[in-house]
């Protein structure tokens, strides 16, 4: 090959461009390798999630708790006082007896108010009405 002075600058530019493209291609190959590794890691994690989902769906449903939930006691302090008085007495009581235990005057409004609260506690399963008008804690 002859060295033509007019061709040499073109050949130098071709060499420069060839080296640039080779460097870019090497960077792209490295990036492709990095992306392939990340893709492999994501595929492995996806497979682990699929297996976990399959395992969880194959598990039997847990049996319901043997112990029932405790009923909700109303927030008002009068309910706590009634329950405490019944616990202290250790026996079933009538609304009138509870009025006396709570140091309330024996008036119809007090007796009916206590009876209403007792009925509410019975409806929530906190107390039991062992016979009409006689209230007790279920565990007593």
């Amino acid at each position: 090959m002859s060295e033509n002075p007019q061709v040499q600058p073109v050949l130098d530019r071709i060499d420069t461009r060839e080296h640039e493209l080779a460097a870019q291609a090497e960077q792209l190959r490295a990036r492709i390798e990095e992306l392939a590794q990340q893709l492999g890691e994501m595929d492995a994690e996806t497979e682990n999630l699929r297996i976990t989902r399959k395992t969880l769906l194959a598990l039997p449903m847990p049996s319901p708790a043997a112990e029932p939930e405790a009923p909700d006691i109303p927030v008002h302090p009068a309910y706590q006082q009634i329950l405490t008085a019944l616990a202290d007495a250790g026996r079933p009581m009538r609304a009138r007896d509870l009025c006396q235990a709570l140091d309330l005057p024996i008036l119809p409004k007090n007796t009916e108010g206590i009876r209403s609260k007792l009925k509410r506690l019975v409806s929530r399963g906190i107390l039991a009405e062992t016979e009409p008008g006689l209230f007790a804690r279920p565990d007593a």
Side-chain angles (χ1 to χ4, degrees):
M1 172 153 123
S2 69
E3 296 219 5
N4 184 342
Q6 295 174 338
V7 175
Q8 191 58 40
V10 173
L11 290 176
D12 289 342
R13 286 179 45 197
I14 289 173
D15 283 343
T16 303
R17 182 65 179 146
E18 203 172 28
H19 288 296
E20 288 173 355
L21 290 175
Q24 288 177 355
E26 187 57 36
Q27 287 177 349
L28 287 175
R29 283 187 194 91
R31 182 70 178 137
I32 288 171
E33 188 175 314
E34 180 184 325
L35 289 173
Q37 181 181 352
Q38 288 178 357
L39 181 61
E41 291 170 1
M42 286 181 183
D43 286 343
E45 187 174 349
T46 300
E47 180 64 14
N48 288 341
L49 291 172
R50 188 189 64 74
I51 291 169
T52 301
R53 177 185 290 115
K54 183 178 178 181
T55 303
L56 287 174
L57 291 174
L59 290 175
M61 291 294 292
S63 60
E67 190 174 312
E69 289 186 25
D72 291 332
I73 298 173
V75 180
H76 195 277
Y79 292 98
Q80 293 298 325
Q81 293 170 346
I82 290 170
L83 293 172
T84 302
L86 278 168
D88 290 346
R91 61 178 174 78
M93 298 178 79
R94 298 191 179 281
R96 179 183 175 96
D97 300 330
L98 277 164
C99 283
Q100 288 176 335
L102 297 173
D103 293 326
L104 294 173
I106 309 297
L107 299 172
K109 69 175 188 170
N110 292 337
T111 308
E112 290 305 315
I114 294 292
R115 183 175 291 113
S116 171
K117 288 175 179 57
L118 289 167
K119 293 281 189 181
R120 186 169 294 122
L121 291 171
V122 168
S123 70
R124 291 184 178 201
I126 299 168
L127 292 181
E129 191 170 9
T130 56
E131 59 182 64
L134 196 57
F135 299 91
R137 296 177 60 109
D139 53 2

